[in-house]
Amino acid sequence: MNVTQDISILSLVTNASVLVQAVLTLLMVVSLMSWTYIFRKMFAVRAAKRETERFEQDFWSGGDLNELFASAQSRRNNVGALGRIFEAGMREYSKGRQQKIDSGALLDGARRAMRAAYQREMDGLEAHLSFLASVGSVSPYVGLFGTVWGIMNAFRSLANVQQATLAHVAPGIAEALVATAIGLFAAIPAVVAYNRYVHEVDRLAIRFETFIEEFSNILQRQAR
């Protein structure tokens, strides 16, 4: 076997020790899961932004709130996060008006309903972000562990060699460094995606909270 074959990536992986192969397998599985969540989160955030913009246009177009409420109820799964927050507040407000609750308790109930719906929507938007953060922070250390173990084995193998040369050491060290490379391959996209999606989710959260306050003011004026 020539030197090129010995230090090819496939050869390094197949000839690695069992522990290093286990580390590489773990990192590849984690990387695959990370990319799955990255794409799922990308589609989810895009859909949330698109639905939020659509509902804000409908809400601020000056239409009747009762008609918008009926529309939000009829297509609750397609109205978006902001639409569901509005629907929760409007539903609680309508129930309070039917029960002739005083305006203070009426507004408090509507606001609590919107805050509860807001928390549910944020839980959905923030799902799997902690996994991406963990992959980004832990993967390099897992890869480094595999590297250290591989280098240890490479130097231990020199004990049986009378004259150590670069040809004896290079394959073992290269094998060990593959673990670090795979660890970085798993960590870098996860960190970039985590920072991006946290920013996008925070912007959506601000829009949701702003809407809750603005809609609460509208309900307060109607309750008088």
Side-chain angles (χ1 to χ4, degrees), residues 11 30 37 49 53 64 68 71 80 161 163:
S11 177
V30 167
Y37 290 141
K49 291 170 65 177
E53 291 172 359
D64 184 72
L68 186 60
S71 175
V161 178
Q163 185 177 1

Side-chain angles (χ1 to χ4, degrees), residues 67-79 87:
E67 293 181 0
L68 186 60
F69 174 54
S71 175
Q73 284 185 313
S74 62
R75 53 188 184 93
R76 194 172 190 278
N77 294 328
N78 299 321
V79 75
E87 190 263 341

Side-chain angles (χ1 to χ4, degrees), residues 15-44:
N15 294 327
S17 63
V18 175
L19 182 60
V20 174
Q21 288 182 344
V23 169
L24 294 176
T25 302
L26 174 63
L27 290 174
M28 291 303 296
V29 171
V30 167
S31 178
L32 181 61
M33 294 176 61
S34 176
W35 279 105
T36 300
Y37 290 141
I38 286 172
F39 283 111
R40 288 177 59 183
K41 188 59 61 179
M42 178 182 68
F43 295 135

